[in-house]
Amino acid sequence: MIEIIHSPLGQEHPYEQRPEERFPRQPLAHQPFTVGIATRPPGAIQSVQVHTRVDDTIGPVINAVPDPDWQPRLEHGVGAEFLERMEKVEQDVWHADLTAPPPGQTLTYWIDGDGQTGPTYTLTGRDWQSAAPDTVHLEQSSTDSNQWTMHIQRDAGGSLSGKHPLPALRAVEWLTDGSRALRVRLTFACPAGEAFFGLGERFNALNQRGEILDVRCYEQYKNQGKRTYLAIPFVLSSAGYGVFVASDRWMQFDLAATEPDRWVLEADLGPDESLILTWFTGDDPLAIIRAFTQQTGPAALPPLWTFGLWMSANEWNSQARVVHEVEQSLAHEIVPSVLVLEAWSDEDTFYIWNDAQYTPTAGDAALRYYDFTFPADGKWPDPKGMVEWLHARDIRLLLWQVPVFAASDGQNPQHEADRLFFEQEGYGVREADGSLYRVKPFWFRNGYLWDVTHPAARSWWLNKRAYLLEELGIDGFKTDGGEHMWGSSTRFGDGRQGDELWNVYPQLYTEAYYTFTTEKRGGDAVLFSRAGFTGSQRSPIHWAGDENSTWEAYRSSILAGLSAGVSGIPFWGWDLAGFSGEIPSAELYLRSAAMAAFCPIMQYHAEYNQHREPSRDRTPWNIQARTGNTQVIPTFRFLVNVRHNLMPYIWQEAQHAACTGEPMMRALALWHRDAPPYQYFFGRELLVCPVVEASVDTWPVYLPPGEWFDLWTRQRFSGDQHLDVAAPLDRIPVYVRAGAQLPVAWGDDRRLGTYVPLTASPTETLSYE
């Protein structure tokens, strides 16, 4: 069978295109563009032509040119390194160069290959049209004089007259196809030196001046660069304002990158052709962050136990392995608080324990714990007993989840029963033609995406997992993924389309799990989520996703946490020292652990490695055994104990963050532009200076104005100066603000680093005068 393939929008991958797409996908009027064409099998077609028509006028016939250099590309994603990553596509690739029609006119084109004609495709001319800035309506809040709302709507009257503290609006432009506005572009004045922070969890920089960043939730899988799992359309400026764009659609910020005297917002529009911007003004960055976080929140407070040590590895796929690793930790006197299990389920349903025996039930029913038998020689002989064993040691358990109904191979009867019911009831996201949307990215490709906006689908999905909370007593879920949504015209149960939900989907997914989980556990539960969007602070906690074990990734992760904090996410963590690839050096591991000890969440995790030896687990004992550095275990233990000693302070600051919306990690550069981008306040009183370079025993720090005390020695320093300080491997430069009252939990020796239980009451309040 001969195929002639052209898909103008392709899979709608946010950043990459296939050879059979249109380049660009949506060209402007009069703009040249390329029609990509694939023909299969190779050599079957000798000549390809593209026929054109603009409205009713026949246009030229364009001879397509073969591309002799086309090569299939490598795929990337979780687990891709263990599979054949080269796309096995045998085809010829062609391209033809066309020109987009004038504004409002429609180009129709079709492809002919050796006399075989394909379907017709259309493209309507679109262009940018200027509007007067004074058509934008601005109003000041009647309850908060530091808050302003800007309404932008096509063909609507408005006024920007009067005094206001916002940046000058230089231009308003509408992208129109002749019938409606598709996008708006707003240009604002930008003085030299203005810094920009936020826009979600950003790995590339802290100050985003000079960058062009889009707002799109996306799974990059390591080396994120300018891409992010957790995009939030909020920018904090050093010029005394923050701006929140109240839209879930795609948008892009050009922050003085193209022109140094202006920043530009470009945003897709819905059918109402409008956009709303909320501005927060004032001299205090924290006050602006507070206002934004409270307006889109509030931030929910995780339980106290979440602030202890978390342990995890993808190869812990049996009860025996879990018990072994926990006993190892306790034997080394490294006391964990949370255990995360990813490889616990049957890998089909993701709610049934691997190796469990049971009689499959109807797809509309939910199994209970007593429906299962667990073989004594199986992977999980007694899940409930294991949970009780962990709880007896004050260790909480989270189980991994993903919002995808995995593609079925027909071998799991329960999964098949669930699939038939899922399809029958329409519990998945749908394509525009009504068929169920199938996941397009590499990870879980061809699975169905759970429609979390569909009330019955939400209840059905979650009730399948109810026994884990109600009968086993697990303490939450690691809600992974959520970035699986490609396709602007997909349909959801609540009537919205993909272009409205591809950003907000992970927030809806995790919030559904959070509400369900906390209700079942009386509030004593938590999530651990990778992706998110505006309002994700309502369903904590978040972590920075997949990263390599490199110094560069370590630095990027700190920036990501600080940017997330600016964007309303106060409870955040990361896989300390990375989770992927070869293990980190002992130095990188301990420097990362020292930073993580002064971070909202302290967690280590390791990627699946096919159980190959030597182990790539990121446990302290494996890192010590692999590197031969005998400092690893004692130093890691010391850092965890210090965290326990400071837990009264950490818990105090966590409560403050939830109450106010302020981040627990506050970048020092928000106040002091000459500060290193990796320094931050941990809570209100501690200044943390992570060591982020290899092979150093001293480290440059900046102390802001005021008086400061070294946390370890209580030595006093005057601020407003740069210092080179000693940075041995078992310490991190940390300073206490003069005047602080620091609650701590001591051992008998009243020394940092001596173990006390995580829940120990404060034994003393240290006064720094």
Side-chain angles (χ1 to χ4, degrees):
M1 177 180 176
I2 295 176
E3 294 181 275
I4 301 174
I5 303 167
H6 172 59
S7 177
L9 304 183
Q11 295 184 327
E12 295 191 69
H13 188 299
Y15 301 107
E16 299 174 7
Q17 291 192 251
R18 290 173 174 259
E20 66 271 17
E21 294 187 29
R22 191 163 60 205
F23 302 84
R25 290 173 181 153
Q26 298 290 359
L28 296 176
H30 304 296
Q31 179 183 359
F33 70 96
T34 297
V35 173
I37 305 160
T39 58
R40 302 172 187 167
I45 297 290
Q46 303 302 312
S47 174
V48 175
Q49 295 179 318
V50 179
H51 298 257
T52 64
R53 183 178 71 243
V54 175
D55 289 344
D56 296 325
T57 302
I58 297 297
V61 177
I62 310 298
N63 291 318
V65 178
D67 183 355
D69 298 324
W70 178 81
Q71 294 291 330
R73 65 181 175 84
L74 292 175
E75 291 198 88
H76 299 275
V78 176
E81 60 270 35
F82 303 123
L83 303 173
E84 293 186 50
R85 291 164 50 201
M86 187 77 75
E87 287 189 355
K88 302 299 183 182
V89 178
E90 298 294 332
Q91 62 185 18
D92 292 329
V93 172
W94 310 70
H95 67 267
D97 294 329
L98 279 68
T99 300
Q105 297 187 24
T106 299
L107 167 68
T108 302
Y109 63 95
W110 61 97
I111 300 165
D112 177 288
D114 289 350
Q116 179 176 324
T117 302
T120 59
Y121 308 93
T122 59
L123 176 68
T124 301
R126 50 176 66 187
D127 70 340
W128 288 100
Q129 297 179 354
S130 297
D134 61 7
T135 61
V136 174
H137 180 69
L138 181 67
E139 59 181 312
Q140 188 175 20
S141 169
S142 60
T143 58
D144 184 350
S145 61
N146 288 321
Q147 185 170 319
W148 304 71
T149 302
M150 182 178 286
H151 299 264
I152 303 100
Q153 185 157 13
R154 189 184 180 207
D155 298 329
S159 175
L160 281 177
S161 60
K163 295 182 63 177
H164 60 79
L166 310 184
L169 178 60
R170 288 187 170 183
V172 179
E173 299 166 277
W174 302 94
L175 179 64
T176 175
D177 62 1
S179 61
R180 62 172 290 257
L182 308 169
R183 185 176 290 181
V184 67
R185 185 159 63 199
L186 306 172
T187 301
F188 296 92
C190 173
E194 181 177 2
F196 301 96
F197 308 96
L199 285 176
E201 183 185 60
R202 295 291 174 170
F203 297 80
N204 63 306
L206 180 63
N207 177 4
Q208 300 293 350
R209 183 183 179 90
E211 302 286 359
I212 298 176
L213 299 171
D214 66 346
V215 173
R216 178 63 196 266
C217 175
Y218 177 74
E219 187 224 347
Q220 169 65 22
Y221 180 62
K222 305 190 300 186
N223 304 310
Q224 283 85 0
K226 296 183 183 182
R227 301 172 185 178
T228 180
Y229 306 105
L230 208 167
I232 296 175
F234 172 74
V235 173
L236 174 67
S237 167
S238 64
Y241 66 87
V243 59
F244 165 52
V245 184
S247 172
D248 300 335
R249 301 175 187 273
W250 176 92
M251 67 189 76
Q252 176 180 278
F253 290 81
D254 180 335
L255 299 172
T258 303
E259 298 290 343
D261 63 345
R262 64 198 66 185
W263 66 267
V264 180
L265 166 66
E266 199 170 300
D268 281 351
L269 301 174
D272 63 356
E273 302 176 271
S274 68
L275 192 68
I276 295 176
L277 277 61
T278 301
W279 300 81
F280 309 91
T281 62
D283 296 330
D284 181 6
L286 277 183
I288 293 173
I289 295 170
R290 279 198 304 268
F292 165 70
T293 306
Q294 290 171 346
Q295 183 176 104
T296 57
L301 176 66
L304 172 61
W305 50 263
T306 62
F307 297 96
L309 174 67
W310 296 46
M311 59 189 300
S312 176
N314 281 349
E315 297 201 337
W316 299 355
N317 64 345
S318 71
Q319 186 169 336
R321 182 66 183 274
V322 166
V323 170
H324 171 75
E325 297 299 341
V326 170
E327 288 181 337
Q328 281 274 87
S329 194
L330 296 176
H332 291 299
E333 298 180 298
I334 297 171
V335 179
S337 178
V338 181
L339 174 76
V340 180
L341 283 181
E342 293 205 12
W344 68 276
S345 77
D346 58 10
E347 300 294 320
D348 287 317
T349 67
F350 294 103
Y351 65 82
I352 296 174
W353 290 82
N354 202 357
D355 278 354
Q357 298 176 353
Y358 58 98
T359 300
T361 189
D364 62 341
L367 292 162
R368 306 300 293 180
Y369 188 68
Y370 56 72
D371 293 318
F372 300 105
T373 300
F374 300 96
D377 59 350
K379 290 181 178 294
W380 307 99
D382 185 8
K384 184 173 177 61
M386 181 186 69
V387 175
E388 292 170 348
W389 183 84
L390 291 169
H391 285 176
R393 289 153 181 79
D394 291 325
I395 301 171
R396 307 303 181 106
L397 178 64
L398 272 62
L399 299 180
W400 185 88
Q401 291 286 278
V402 70
V404 174
F405 191 96
S408 174
D409 61 6
Q411 301 302 304
N412 184 320
Q414 186 61 59
H415 193 47
E416 275 297 285
D418 290 347
R419 178 186 64 80
L420 291 172
F421 186 76
F422 185 97
E423 292 174 345
Q424 171 189 312
E425 298 299 315
Y427 283 170
V429 177
R430 293 188 177 276
E431 297 282 8
D433 64 6
S435 63
L436 286 172
Y437 168 84
R438 290 188 179 272
V439 172
K440 295 180 176 68
F442 177 88
W443 197 39
F444 286 99
R445 179 172 293 162
N446 290 324
Y448 295 140
L449 186 63
W450 172 43
D451 186 351
V452 70
T453 74
H454 189 308
R458 189 165 57 245
S459 296
W460 174 84
W461 184 282
L462 295 171
N463 285 337
K464 294 276 188 180
R465 291 144 176 85
Y467 82 95
L468 299 168
L469 296 159
E470 294 173 340
E471 298 176 77
L472 270 74
I474 71 163
D475 305 285
F477 293 102
K478 181 174 184 176
T479 36
D480 206 349
E483 316 91 346
H484 308 85
M485 184 65 253
W486 297 355
S488 57
S489 60
T490 50
R491 301 290 192 270
F492 286 76
D494 67 354
R496 284 183 286 179
Q497 296 187 187
D499 59 353
E500 299 172 84
L501 279 167
W502 51 31
N503 280 326
V504 77
Y505 180 88
Q507 188 274 323
L508 297 175
Y509 144 54
T510 55
E511 192 162 51
Y513 262 86
Y514 185 74
T515 300
F516 174 75
T517 302
T518 52
E519 286 178 353
K520 295 292 184 185
R521 296 288 292 153
D524 190 29
V526 77
L527 301 185
F528 202 43
S529 307
R530 182 173 73 181
F533 191 60
T534 307
S536 282
Q537 67 268 29
R538 300 193 296 265
S539 48
I541 299 167
H542 292 79
W543 99 99
D546 302 331
E547 268 299 357
N548 290 312
S549 290
T550 64
W551 288 93
E552 180 182 8
Y554 169 33
R555 291 188 290 270
S556 295
S557 296
I558 297 174
L559 300 178
L562 296 175
S563 296
V566 169
S567 307
I569 307 297
F571 304 116
W572 173 94
W574 63 299
D575 299 336
L576 69 86
F579 97 125
S580 182
E582 187 49 75
I583 63 168
S585 66
E587 182 185 17
L588 173 57
Y589 188 77
L590 294 177
R591 293 301 193 195
S592 300
M595 177 267 162
F598 296 88
C599 174
I601 302 300
M602 183 180 189
Q603 186 223 205
Y604 63 77
H605 179 50
E607 191 173 34
Y608 182 65
N609 191 42
Q610 294 187 315
H611 300 285
R612 297 178 295 192
E613 293 295 337
S615 170
R616 288 184 174 179
D617 275 8
R618 269 59 174 175
T619 60
W621 44 97
N622 189 55
I623 299 298
Q624 178 161 304
R626 289 283 312 277
T627 64
N629 189 318
T630 57
Q631 283 186 269
V632 173
I633 290 175
T635 300
F636 195 92
R637 178 172 57 238
F638 171 79
L639 292 168
V640 173
N641 288 348
V642 168
R643 188 171 175 88
H644 281 218
N645 298 145
L646 294 175
M647 193 53 59
Y649 169 76
I650 294 172
W651 181 237
Q652 166 191 287
E653 295 306 298
Q655 293 173 293
H656 178 79
C659 180
T660 64
E662 295 177 9
M664 290 189 72
M665 293 171 61
R666 307 131 177 250
L668 182 59
L670 297 182
W671 294 271
H672 304 282
R673 294 286 303 281
D674 56 349
Y678 308 105
Q679 283 190 218
Y680 60 90
F681 294 106
F682 185 44
R684 288 167 287 179
E685 309 296 0
L686 298 183
L687 176 62
V688 182
C689 312
V691 179
V692 297
E693 300 285 351
S695 305
V696 298
D697 54 16
T698 62
W699 190 247
V701 303
Y702 172 71
L703 295 181
E707 296 294 306
W708 299 89
F709 292 84
D710 186 303
L711 175 68
W712 313 106
T713 66
R714 293 183 68 94
Q715 181 180 354
R716 186 175 186 130
F717 293 88
S718 294
D720 198 18
Q721 65 170 320
H722 294 266
L723 298 172
D724 284 327
V725 301
L729 201 53
D730 63 348
R731 292 288 190 277
I732 177 175
V734 179
Y735 297 87
V736 186
R737 190 192 306 273
Q741 303 292 311
L742 204 68
V744 297
W746 291 124
D748 292 337
D749 60 1
R750 299 183 70 252
R751 294 177 58 187
L752 288 173
T754 299
Y755 173 75
V756 295
L758 183 76
T759 56
S761 299
T763 53
E764 187 175 348
T765 298
L766 301 181
S767 180
Y768 291 83
E769 300 292 348

